[in-house]
CSV table of all heavy atoms in Angstrom, one decimal:
chain,number,residue,atom,x,y,z
B,1,GLU,N,0.8,-1.3,0.0
B,1,GLU,CA,0.0,0.0,0.0
B,1,GLU,C,0.9,1.3,0.0
B,1,GLU,O,0.9,2.0,1.0
B,1,GLU,CB,-0.9,0.0,1.2
B,1,GLU,CG,-2.2,0.7,0.9
B,1,GLU,CD,-3.1,0.0,-0.1
B,1,GLU,OE1,-2.9,0.1,-1.3
B,1,GLU,OE2,-4.0,-0.8,0.4
B,2,PRO,N,1.6,1.5,-1.1
B,2,PRO,CA,2.5,2.6,-1.1
B,2,PRO,C,1.9,4.0,-0.9
B,2,PRO,O,2.6,4.9,-0.4
B,2,PRO,CB,3.1,2.5,-2.5
B,2,PRO,CG,2.9,1.1,-3.0
B,2,PRO,CD,1.7,0.8,-2.3
B,3,LEU,N,0.7,4.2,-1.2
B,3,LEU,CA,0.0,5.5,-0.9
B,3,LEU,C,-0.4,5.7,0.5
B,3,LEU,O,-0.7,6.9,0.9
B,3,LEU,CB,-1.3,5.6,-1.9
B,3,LEU,CG,-1.0,5.6,-3.4
B,3,LEU,CD1,-2.3,5.7,-4.1
B,3,LEU,CD2,0.0,6.6,-3.8
B,4,ALA,N,-0.4,4.7,1.3
B,4,ALA,CA,-0.8,4.9,2.7
B,4,ALA,C,0.2,5.8,3.4
B,4,ALA,O,1.3,5.7,3.3
B,4,ALA,CB,-0.9,3.5,3.4
B,5,PRO,N,-0.4,6.8,4.2
B,5,PRO,CA,0.5,7.7,4.9
B,5,PRO,C,1.1,6.9,6.1
B,5,PRO,O,0.4,6.0,6.6
B,5,PRO,CB,-0.4,8.8,5.3
B,5,PRO,CG,-1.8,8.2,5.4
B,5,PRO,CD,-1.7,7.2,4.3
B,6,LEU,N,2.3,7.3,6.5
B,6,LEU,CA,3.1,8.4,6.0
B,6,LEU,C,4.6,7.9,5.8
B,6,LEU,O,5.4,8.5,5.2
B,6,LEU,CB,3.2,9.5,7.0
B,6,LEU,CG,3.8,10.8,6.8
B,6,LEU,CD1,3.3,11.5,5.6
B,6,LEU,CD2,3.7,11.7,8.0
B,7,ALA,N,4.9,6.7,6.5
B,7,ALA,CA,6.2,6.3,6.7
B,7,ALA,C,7.0,5.9,5.4
B,7,ALA,O,8.1,6.1,5.3
B,7,ALA,CB,6.3,5.1,7.6
B,8,ALA,N,6.2,5.3,4.4
B,8,ALA,CA,7.0,5.0,3.2
B,8,ALA,C,7.5,6.1,2.4
B,8,ALA,O,8.2,6.0,1.5
B,8,ALA,CB,6.0,4.1,2.4
B,9,TYR,N,6.9,7.3,2.6
B,9,TYR,CA,7.2,8.5,1.8
B,9,TYR,C,8.7,8.9,1.9
B,9,TYR,O,9.3,9.4,1.1
B,9,TYR,CB,6.3,9.7,2.1
B,9,TYR,CG,4.9,9.5,1.8
B,9,TYR,CD1,4.5,8.3,1.2
B,9,TYR,CD2,4.0,10.4,2.0
B,9,TYR,CE1,3.1,8.1,0.8
B,9,TYR,CE2,2.6,10.3,1.6
B,9,TYR,CZ,2.3,9.1,1.1
B,9,TYR,OH,0.9,9.0,0.7
B,10,GLY,N,9.3,8.5,3.1
B,10,GLY,CA,10.7,8.8,3.3
B,10,GLY,C,11.5,8.0,2.3
B,10,GLY,O,12.5,8.4,1.7
B,11,LEU,N,11.2,6.7,2.0
B,11,LEU,CA,11.9,5.9,1.0
B,11,LEU,C,11.7,6.5,-0.3
B,11,LEU,O,12.6,6.4,-1.2
B,11,LEU,CB,11.4,4.5,1.1
B,11,LEU,CG,11.4,3.7,2.5
B,11,LEU,CD1,10.8,2.4,2.3
B,11,LEU,CD2,12.9,3.6,2.9
B,12,VAL,N,10.6,7.0,-0.6
B,12,VAL,CA,10.3,7.5,-1.9
B,12,VAL,C,11.2,8.8,-2.2
B,12,VAL,O,11.7,9.0,-3.3
B,12,VAL,CB,8.7,8.0,-2.1
B,12,VAL,CG1,8.5,8.7,-3.3
B,12,VAL,CG2,8.0,6.7,-2.1
B,13,LEU,N,11.4,9.5,-1.2
B,13,LEU,CA,12.2,10.8,-1.3
B,13,LEU,C,13.7,10.5,-1.6
B,13,LEU,O,14.4,11.2,-2.3
B,13,LEU,CB,12.1,11.8,-0.2
B,13,LEU,CG,10.6,12.3,0.0
B,13,LEU,CD1,10.4,13.1,1.2
B,13,LEU,CD2,10.2,13.2,-1.2
B,14,THR,N,14.1,9.5,-0.8
B,14,THR,CA,15.6,9.1,-0.9
B,14,THR,C,15.9,8.1,-1.9
B,14,THR,O,17.1,8.0,-2.4
B,14,THR,CB,16.1,8.7,0.4
B,14,THR,OG1,15.5,7.6,0.9
B,14,THR,CG2,16.0,9.9,1.5
B,15,ASP,N,14.9,7.2,-2.3
B,15,ASP,CA,15.1,6.2,-3.3
B,15,ASP,C,16.3,5.4,-3.1
B,15,ASP,O,17.3,5.2,-3.9
B,15,ASP,CB,15.2,6.9,-4.7
B,15,ASP,CG,15.0,5.8,-5.8
B,15,ASP,OD1,14.5,4.8,-5.6
B,15,ASP,OD2,15.5,6.1,-7.0
B,16,PRO,N,16.5,4.7,-1.8
B,16,PRO,CA,17.7,4.1,-1.4
B,16,PRO,C,18.0,2.7,-2.0
B,16,PRO,O,19.1,2.2,-1.9
B,16,PRO,CB,17.6,4.0,0.1
B,16,PRO,CG,16.1,3.9,0.3
B,16,PRO,CD,15.5,4.7,-0.7
B,17,LEU,N,17.0,2.0,-2.5
B,17,LEU,CA,17.1,0.7,-3.0
B,17,LEU,C,16.0,0.3,-3.9
B,17,LEU,O,15.0,1.0,-4.0
B,17,LEU,CB,17.3,-0.3,-1.8
B,17,LEU,CG,16.1,-0.7,-1.0
B,17,LEU,CD1,16.5,-1.9,-0.1
B,17,LEU,CD2,15.5,0.4,-0.2
B,18,PRO,N,16.1,-0.8,-4.6
B,18,PRO,CA,15.0,-1.3,-5.5
B,18,PRO,C,13.8,-1.4,-4.7
B,18,PRO,O,13.8,-2.0,-3.6
B,18,PRO,CB,15.5,-2.6,-6.0
B,18,PRO,CG,17.0,-2.5,-5.9
B,18,PRO,CD,17.3,-1.7,-4.7
B,19,MET,N,12.6,-1.0,-5.2
B,19,MET,CA,11.4,-1.0,-4.5
B,19,MET,C,10.3,-1.7,-5.3
B,19,MET,O,10.1,-1.4,-6.5
B,19,MET,CB,10.9,0.4,-4.0
B,19,MET,CG,11.7,0.9,-2.9
B,19,MET,SD,11.1,2.5,-2.3
B,19,MET,CE,11.8,3.7,-3.5
B,20,VAL,N,9.5,-2.5,-4.7
B,20,VAL,CA,8.3,-3.1,-5.3
B,20,VAL,C,7.1,-2.6,-4.5
B,20,VAL,O,7.2,-2.6,-3.3
B,20,VAL,CB,8.3,-4.6,-5.2
B,20,VAL,CG1,6.9,-5.3,-5.6
B,20,VAL,CG2,9.5,-5.2,-6.1
B,21,GLY,N,6.1,-2.0,-5.2
B,21,GLY,CA,4.9,-1.6,-4.5
B,21,GLY,C,3.7,-2.5,-4.8
B,21,GLY,O,3.4,-2.7,-6.0
B,22,THR,N,3.0,-2.9,-3.7
B,22,THR,CA,1.8,-3.7,-4.0
B,22,THR,C,0.6,-2.9,-3.5
B,22,THR,O,0.5,-2.5,-2.4
B,22,THR,CB,1.9,-5.0,-3.2
B,22,THR,OG1,2.9,-5.9,-3.7
B,22,THR,CG2,0.5,-5.8,-3.3
B,23,TYR,N,-0.3,-2.6,-4.5
B,23,TYR,CA,-1.5,-1.8,-4.2
B,23,TYR,C,-2.7,-2.7,-3.9
B,23,TYR,O,-3.0,-3.6,-4.7
B,23,TYR,CB,-1.7,-1.0,-5.4
B,23,TYR,CG,-0.8,0.2,-5.7
B,23,TYR,CD1,0.5,-0.2,-6.1
B,23,TYR,CD2,-1.1,1.5,-5.6
B,23,TYR,CE1,1.5,0.8,-6.3
B,23,TYR,CE2,-0.1,2.5,-5.8
B,23,TYR,CZ,1.2,2.2,-6.2
B,23,TYR,OH,2.1,3.1,-6.5
B,24,HIS,N,-3.3,-2.5,-2.7
B,24,HIS,CA,-4.3,-3.4,-2.3
B,24,HIS,C,-5.7,-2.8,-2.3
B,24,HIS,O,-6.7,-3.4,-2.5
B,24,HIS,CB,-4.1,-3.8,-0.8
B,24,HIS,CG,-2.9,-4.7,-0.6
B,24,HIS,ND1,-3.0,-6.0,-0.5
B,24,HIS,CD2,-1.6,-4.3,-0.4
B,24,HIS,CE1,-1.8,-6.5,-0.2
B,24,HIS,NE2,-0.9,-5.5,-0.2
B,25,ARG,N,-5.7,-1.5,-2.2
B,25,ARG,CA,-7.1,-0.8,-2.0
B,25,ARG,C,-7.9,-0.8,-3.2
B,25,ARG,O,-7.4,-0.7,-4.4
B,25,ARG,CB,-6.9,0.6,-1.4
B,25,ARG,CG,-6.2,1.6,-2.4
B,25,ARG,CD,-5.9,3.0,-1.8
B,25,ARG,NE,-7.1,3.6,-1.3
B,25,ARG,CZ,-7.3,3.9,0.0
B,25,ARG,NH1,-6.4,3.6,0.9
B,25,ARG,NH2,-8.4,4.5,0.3
B,26,SER,N,-9.1,-0.7,-3.1
B,26,SER,CA,-10.2,-0.5,-4.1
B,26,SER,C,-11.0,0.8,-3.8
B,26,SER,O,-11.7,0.8,-2.8
B,26,SER,CB,-11.2,-1.8,-4.2
B,26,SER,OG,-12.2,-1.4,-5.1
B,27,GLY,N,-10.8,1.8,-4.6
B,27,GLY,CA,-11.5,3.0,-4.4
B,27,GLY,C,-10.5,4.1,-3.8
B,27,GLY,O,-9.8,3.7,-3.0
């Protein structure tokens, strides 16, 4: 759930390693 706030956003800003995002939500 990459869009869920807030903690993963730090990884997005620094881009420190390969990332796989799994999106679970509907709506």
